[in-house]
Amino acid sequence: MQTVHVTILVLYLLLMVGIGAWFSRTKVVATADDYVFAGRDLPRPVMIGTLLATWVGSGTIIGGASFAYRYGPLASIFFLAGTPVGIVALYYIAKRIRRHSTYTVPELLEKRYGLSVRIVAALITLLAYVGITAYQYTGGGYIISVITPLSPEAGAIVVAILVTFLAFGGGLKSVAWSDFVSALVIVFSLVIALPLILGKDIGGMSDYWSGMPETHRSLSGGLAPIELLGFFLPLFLLILADQNMYQRLGASRDEAEARKSTAGFFFSSFLVTVPVALLGSAAVVLMPDIQPDTAILSLAGEFYLPTVLGGLLLAGALAFIITTGSSFQLSGAGNVVYDVAQRMLGVEMDDRKRLWIHRLSVLGIGLVAYVLGRFFPTVLELQLYSYTVYGVAIAPPVLAIFLWRRASKAGVLTSMILGVVVTITWEQLGQPGGVNSVLVSLPVALVALFVVSLAVPDKEPRSLDEEIADAEGAESASEA
């Protein structure tokens, strides 16, 4: 245990608590809209930072580094490429996401496909987001165990408490600003650490390259092409329909700002994913027998970096994990409030009641996520499971809103249900033949969407813009 590391960690945690307390003030978060959309007045650097920090959490710092440690830097291109490729797709629909901003993705789906689709989508989103929150707790517990005498299990409790505190108090405002601070810390730490590890500790790029196992120097890392695709797709599908991305783009000041923030998100993502791939694989050269999940954490905690920089890297990694966990916890609680309580159960809520139900839902999701995290041995395992359930079930219907007007309610419902059932069944069977579940469930979901939509079309296939225009016209007529 390094005293400097512990000091930096404690100072960081106090900073996060301070940010949460500051934005929990009543005059800052006075309404449910303030809680979910942060008043739609976030500066662009904060928008970019919150997009980056929300997406890059335990799945990248621990799961991505674990992949690089196991298979090498070139294979990591396929695993991590889901992020920039998905961001490019988001860039082209960012304006429309902002124009049709909703509290939740299931609410957006209802506008196009109806209530039944919203209900199913809400249940799927809750299932996946609780899982994603759970592996943030697990990943944060790893980091705290590296810095302090606490076990990973005890560290996970600390992380769960802090994640819940940030989401509970200030909503998106506190989460976004803590995201921004965390993004600055982790990007600075990774960019500075990379040349030190590859140059000073290993001895240069040639020693780095020759020091890795032979399979790590190949493009595939020893994996078959179909296996690489199985690692690429979950990240790609999740970002295409991630409710956090849609809520943040909806919270931007206007449509143009939504697109500019997405562009900033694209470029800044390389400042994290590239160092993670290189540092994770560099750990194989320096520490060939460690647990893969701890690849980057061990570089920071085992004296390979200057003490202060190592402490900043550990604190920054924990920062991303905490802010990502807060985002998914806050977003999942929104599904409880707007999709389940308000829409499905018809609970009458004024603004004050809605705000408090949202906060209580944050607490409930935190508790369930912590319990779920005890059942998955590694972050990468839980990461891929959660990503696949959500991405396979939700991404095709959401993209069809913008790209295919003939998608029908029957096709969407069939696609979502089969996507979840096949994913869970394949996972429970132990991934027969070593095939990742996304490679089975995604084709099933896509075929179901197309075939059933064509076989059982809606009476008048309509675009989302037409549906909303009709709804607004009917509302104006009733008010008149």
Side-chain angles (χ1 to χ4, degrees):
M1 179 179 68
Q2 281 284 318
T3 303
V4 174
H5 289 173
V6 175
T7 302
I8 292 174
L9 178 65
V10 170
L11 290 175
Y12 163 72
L13 294 179
L14 289 175
L15 176 61
M16 294 295 102
V17 170
I19 292 174
W22 177 260
F23 288 110
S24 296
R25 295 170 299 155
T26 303
K27 66 179 182 180
V28 176
V29 185
T31 68
D33 268 12
D34 291 337
Y35 195 71
V36 176
F37 291 123
R40 289 195 170 98
D41 64 352
L42 295 173
R44 187 184 303 165
V46 177
M47 277 292 298
I48 294 171
T50 190
L51 287 167
L52 179 64
T54 295
W55 181 249
V56 181
S58 180
T60 301
I61 300 298
I62 294 182
S66 173
F67 185 93
Y69 187 92
R70 292 171 176 173
Y71 305 112
L74 298 181
S76 297
I77 294 173
F78 297 96
F79 177 65
L80 296 170
T83 294
V85 175
I87 296 172
V88 169
L90 279 181
Y91 176 81
Y92 286 104
I93 61 175
K95 287 186 176 181
R96 298 183 70 187
I97 293 172
R98 175 61 179 86
R99 186 182 311 149
H100 304 307
S101 59
T102 55
Y103 290 107
T104 67
V105 165
E107 182 183 353
L108 179 67
L109 290 169
E110 183 188 10
K111 289 183 177 182
R112 173 64 179 82
Y113 304 116
L115 178 59
S116 57
V117 171
R118 179 176 184 174
I119 292 172
V120 174
L123 296 176
I124 293 170
T125 303
L126 274 171
L127 171 68
Y129 278 27
V130 168
I132 294 172
T133 301
Y135 73 70
Q136 305 309 317
Y137 295 171
T138 303
Y142 278 139
I143 294 179
I144 289 180
S145 71
V146 169
I147 302 174
T148 74
L150 293 177
S151 67
E153 292 75 20
I157 295 175
V158 174
V159 173
I161 292 171
L162 186 55
V163 165
T164 302
F165 173 76
L166 285 175
F168 180 88
L172 183 59
K173 182 83 77 170
S174 66
V175 170
W177 277 95
S178 60
D179 282 348
F180 173 65
V181 173
S182 301
L184 292 178
V185 173
I186 194 66
V187 168
F188 171 81
S189 302
L190 288 171
V191 169
I192 298 299
L194 187 58
L196 292 177
I197 292 294
L198 295 182
K200 180 177 73 70
D201 293 314
I202 293 182
M205 288 299 296
S206 60
D207 290 336
Y208 158 71
W209 188 252
S210 62
M212 288 187 294
E214 184 177 351
T215 55
H216 285 51
R217 299 194 296 270
S218 68
L219 183 62
S220 67
L223 295 170
I226 196 70
E227 291 176 303
L228 289 172
L229 182 62
F231 281 106
F232 166 83
L233 284 173
L235 275 170
F236 174 68
L237 292 173
L238 176 62
I239 200 169
L240 287 180
D242 182 9
Q243 187 167 264
N244 285 293
M245 300 294 107
Y246 282 63
Q247 286 175 336
R248 277 156 177 74
L249 293 175
S252 57
R253 291 171 175 170
D254 52 43
E255 293 178 19
E257 194 66 23
R259 176 167 277 193
K260 291 174 182 176
S261 297
T262 307
F265 176 29
F266 172 80
F267 291 109
S268 63
S269 69
F270 291 101
L271 298 177
V272 176
T273 55
V274 172
V276 163
L278 293 174
L279 289 172
S281 52
V284 179
V285 180
L286 296 171
M287 299 168 288
D289 299 317
I290 62 170
Q291 185 178 350
D293 273 357
T294 66
I296 286 182
L297 309 184
S298 295
L299 289 175
E302 297 295 333
F303 311 108
Y304 289 104
L305 292 172
T307 306
V308 172
L309 181 61
L312 285 174
L313 181 56
L314 290 168
L318 183 61
F320 263 17
I321 288 170
I322 287 174
T323 54
T324 298
S326 297
S327 296
F328 278 94
Q329 201 162 324
L330 177 66
S331 187
N335 295 111
V336 176
V337 175
Y338 296 100
D339 299 323
V340 178
Q342 185 170 290
R343 191 69 176 95
M344 291 169 56
L345 303 180
V347 178
E348 295 290 336
M349 303 182 212
D350 59 19
D351 207 51
R352 181 180 177 84
K353 185 176 181 180
R354 187 181 298 114
L355 181 59
W356 274 105
I357 291 178
H358 206 145
R359 283 174 165 157
L360 291 174
S361 299
V362 165
L363 295 177
I365 287 177
L367 179 61
V368 175
Y370 175 76
V371 173
L372 179 64
R374 303 303 93 210
F375 292 96
F376 285 83
T378 69
V379 171
L380 186 60
E381 178 185 345
L382 183 52
Q383 171 193 4
L384 293 173
Y385 187 89
S386 301
Y387 283 6
T388 303
V389 166
Y390 185 84
V392 166
I394 304 298
V398 169
L399 290 179
I401 287 177
F402 302 107
L403 303 176
W404 193 45
R405 63 186 296 157
R406 295 189 65 182
S408 70
K409 178 170 70 174
V412 165
L413 280 172
T414 306
S415 173
M416 289 194 301
I417 293 170
L418 284 178
V420 173
V421 170
V422 173
T423 297
I424 294 177
T425 301
W426 197 259
E427 290 290 337
Q428 292 303 309
L429 291 174
Q431 297 185 347
V435 177
N436 282 341
S437 55
V438 67
L439 298 173
V440 179
S441 56
L442 180 61
V444 170
L446 289 174
V447 169
L449 175 62
F450 281 99
V451 171
V452 178
S453 291
L454 294 175
V456 188
D458 292 335
K459 292 183 179 179
E460 296 182 23
R462 302 171 67 78
S463 69
L464 177 62
D465 293 325
E466 291 169 333
E467 294 282 359
I468 291 177
D470 283 355
E472 290 174 347
E475 184 178 344
S476 299
S478 65
E479 290 175 353

